[in-house]
């Protein structure tokens, strides 16, 4: 009998063929004109349709939400049309795909912002971080603090992006509340020093999460919404202060909204698993929906985690070089090795040219 990792399961009202999830992976290959995906994105994602669920690379919810060179958006008609070709191809191969809704906040640069304006953030505190720009890595720009009366406009941007994701044929959305980006900046006292209803207490710092989720629920049922957190990560220059108190409160917000899953980065983003197992167990027990585990998983770790109560296992780097990762893991096959030089930017090399274990599947 196959291990439960490789067997069908329910995620809300969706039946997944396995518990293996393709993580959201920024690849910096969108069209320069309009921040749209293109034909290579269609092939890239459809190659990976064997995953139980694909989560798209982060798609900025507005021009203001952009923080990196050549990342796609999900807020214009052209972007809807381009993403529709991607979701159609994934569905043609029997896959399911959520769109990750992304606002980078202060992890940005003036060159990406409309009219060269400063990026926005909870507070005017520059991130101790860099971003990928035209020509290489650059220090992030000094942000300006969002005014209290701007928050409804920001929530409306999430709502609009959610509507665009539905129009583009996605099966659901993931709200990006991790890795030092805008929502995560609100959660942390190191980046949020506001004295209004969005700063200070844990309740106030997670208020924007509640408002964003309430907005998404006007577009999608909770069974088609997930949320990503990274309680222990320093990504984007944030400090993991009071991670248990802060993120148990954030999880309670997710439970109230009835979201389908909570996606947790277990430790440093793309780095060491710095948390303790007991902390993960506390978070897992607090989540009403599915628990999606992420960070450095291999086949045996994934099976052990499912045996220990995780519902879904998210794989990132292995999916870069293994379009048929789910099938390889199920068969116990060897994996292709990814080339870090091709992770960000570029063309087909290191993106859509990795060999399949058997043969690349055709559309259904």
């Amino acid at each position: 009998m196959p291990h439960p990792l490789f067997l069908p399961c329910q995620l809300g009202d969706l039946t997944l063929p396995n518990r293996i999830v393709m993580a959201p992976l920024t690849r910096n290959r969108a069209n320069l004109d309009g921040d749209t995906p293109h034909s290579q994105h269609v092939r890239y994602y459809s190659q990976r349709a064997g995953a139980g669920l694909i989560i798209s690379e982060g798609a900025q919810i507005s021009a203001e939400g952009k923080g990196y060179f050549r990342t796609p958006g999900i807020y214009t008609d052209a972007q809807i049309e381009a993403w529709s070709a991607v979701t159609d191809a994934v569905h043609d191969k029997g896959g399911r795909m959520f769109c990750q809704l992304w606002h980078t906040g202060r992890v940005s640069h003036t060159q990406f912002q409309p009219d060269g304006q400063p990026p926005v953030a909870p507070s005017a505190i520059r991130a101790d971080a860099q971003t990928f720009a035209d020509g290489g890595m650059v220090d992030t720009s000094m942000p300006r603090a969002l005014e209290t009366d701007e928050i409804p406009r920001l929530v409306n941007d999430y709502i609009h992006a959610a509507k665009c994701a539905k129009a583009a044929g996605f099966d659901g959305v993931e709200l990006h509340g991790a890795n030092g980006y805008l929502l995560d900046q609100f959660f942390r006292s190191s980046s949020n020093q506001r004295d209004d209803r969005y700063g200070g207490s844990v309740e106030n710092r997670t208020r924007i999460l509640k408002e964003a989720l309430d907005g998404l629920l006007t577009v999608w049922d909770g069974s088609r919404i997930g949320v990503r957190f990274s309680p222990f990560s320093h990504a984007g220059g944030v400090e993991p202060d009071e991670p248990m108190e802060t993120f148990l409160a954030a999880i309670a917000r997710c439970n109230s909204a009835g979201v389908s899953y909570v996606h947790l980065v277990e430790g440093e983003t793309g780095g060491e698993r710095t948390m303790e197992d007991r902390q993960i167990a506390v978070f897992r027990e607090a989540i009403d929906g599915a628990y999606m585990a992420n960070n450095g998983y291999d086949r045996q770790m994934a099976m052990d985690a499912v045996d220990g109560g995780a519902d879904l296992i998210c794989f990132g780097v292995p999916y870069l070089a293994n379009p048929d990762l789910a099938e390889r893991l199920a068969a116990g096959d060897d994996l292709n090795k990814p080339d870090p030089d091709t992770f960000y930017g570029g063309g087909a090399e290191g993106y859509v040219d990795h060999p399949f274990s058997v043969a690349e599947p055709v559309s259904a």
Side-chain angles (χ1 to χ4, degrees):
M1 177 94 177
H3 189 273
L5 177 67
F6 311 114
L7 294 175
C9 67
Q10 285 297 125
L11 180 65
D13 61 353
L14 281 175
T15 300
L16 309 185
N18 56 67
R19 297 176 184 269
I20 296 166
V21 178
M22 178 181 168
L25 297 161
T26 294
R27 304 302 303 273
N28 303 96
R29 282 169 164 85
N31 282 318
L32 280 171
D33 183 14
D35 291 337
T36 54
H38 49 75
S39 60
Q40 286 189 10
H41 292 76
V42 173
R43 185 173 183 199
Y44 170 74
Y45 283 111
S46 65
Q47 285 178 330
R48 289 154 176 80
L53 177 68
I54 295 172
I55 306 173
S56 80
E57 61 202 278
Q60 55 258 12
I61 63 171
S62 63
E64 172 197 85
K66 183 176 180 178
Y68 295 83
F69 185 55
R70 297 190 72 165
T71 54
I74 186 65
Y75 58 93
T76 70
D77 289 345
Q79 291 161 359
I80 292 171
E81 182 178 359
W83 277 116
S84 294
V86 174
T87 60
D88 284 349
V90 169
H91 292 150
D92 283 348
K93 290 189 177 179
R96 292 134 302 274
M97 188 172 183
F98 276 30
C99 181
Q100 190 186 64
L101 305 181
W102 191 28
H103 192 306
T104 64
R106 68 179 187 169
V107 183
S108 185
H109 193 276
T110 54
Q111 70 173 268
F112 301 129
Q113 295 296 309
D115 302 319
Q117 66 187 21
V120 299
S123 300
I125 303 171
R126 193 182 70 81
D128 183 14
Q130 291 192 313
T131 184
F132 182 61
D134 188 5
M137 301 300 292
V138 296
D139 290 341
T140 57
S141 296
M142 181 69 182
R144 69 168 181 86
L146 284 156
E147 300 291 339
T148 304
D149 61 8
E150 288 185 276
I151 304 297
R153 184 265 301 168
L154 185 65
V155 171
N156 284 334
D157 287 343
Y158 279 106
I159 295 171
H160 175 69
K163 291 177 179 177
C164 291
K166 179 171 277 191
F170 285 97
D171 297 294
V173 292
E174 178 179 279
L175 184 61
H176 199 339
N179 298 352
Y181 298 122
L182 183 68
L183 295 182
D184 203 20
Q185 293 159 28
F186 271 92
F187 302 154
R188 320 282 188 144
S189 59
S190 62
S191 49
N192 181 352
Q193 297 180 7
R194 303 176 70 93
D195 58 8
D196 64 0
R197 61 199 300 266
Y198 296 96
S201 67
V202 170
E203 180 182 8
N204 282 354
R205 285 184 277 121
T206 59
R207 188 183 306 278
I208 192 170
L209 172 64
K210 176 188 184 303
E211 293 178 357
L213 286 172
D214 286 347
L216 297 188
L217 286 168
T218 67
V219 183
W220 293 90
D221 185 80
S223 66
R224 299 300 184 99
I225 299 171
V227 184
R228 190 185 203 197
F229 298 130
S230 55
F232 308 100
S233 178
H234 292 78
V238 296
E239 293 295 327
D241 52 341
E242 303 172 348
M244 302 306 292
E245 178 186 5
T246 300
F247 287 92
L248 284 172
I251 287 168
R253 300 285 200 189
C254 295
N255 291 342
S256 295
V259 304
S260 180
Y261 68 82
V262 172
H263 175 185
L264 211 68
V265 179
E266 298 177 344
E268 291 289 352
T269 303
E272 296 297 318
R273 296 174 58 83
T274 51
M275 78 299 156
E276 299 177 12
D277 289 344
R278 63 177 179 82
Q279 293 173 304
I280 295 301
V282 170
F283 282 136
R284 191 173 64 235
E285 287 298 316
I287 296 165
D288 288 347
Y291 177 69
M292 184 184 292
N294 185 333
N295 202 15
Y297 277 88
D298 60 20
R299 185 178 190 270
Q300 189 60 54
M301 287 173 63
M303 292 191 294
D304 290 345
V306 169
D307 289 341
D311 298 290
L312 300 161
I313 309 296
C314 209
F315 290 85
V317 172
Y319 254 119
L320 298 178
N322 296 275
D324 55 345
L325 180 67
E327 295 86 346
R328 286 174 183 261
L329 292 175
D333 290 344
D334 292 336
L335 303 184
N336 300 323
K337 292 183 178 180
D339 177 6
D341 289 340
T342 65
F343 284 2
Y344 307 112
E349 183 181 359
Y351 191 55
V352 295
D353 61 347
H354 294 290
F356 284 69
S357 182
V358 181
E360 184 171 347
V362 298
S363 298

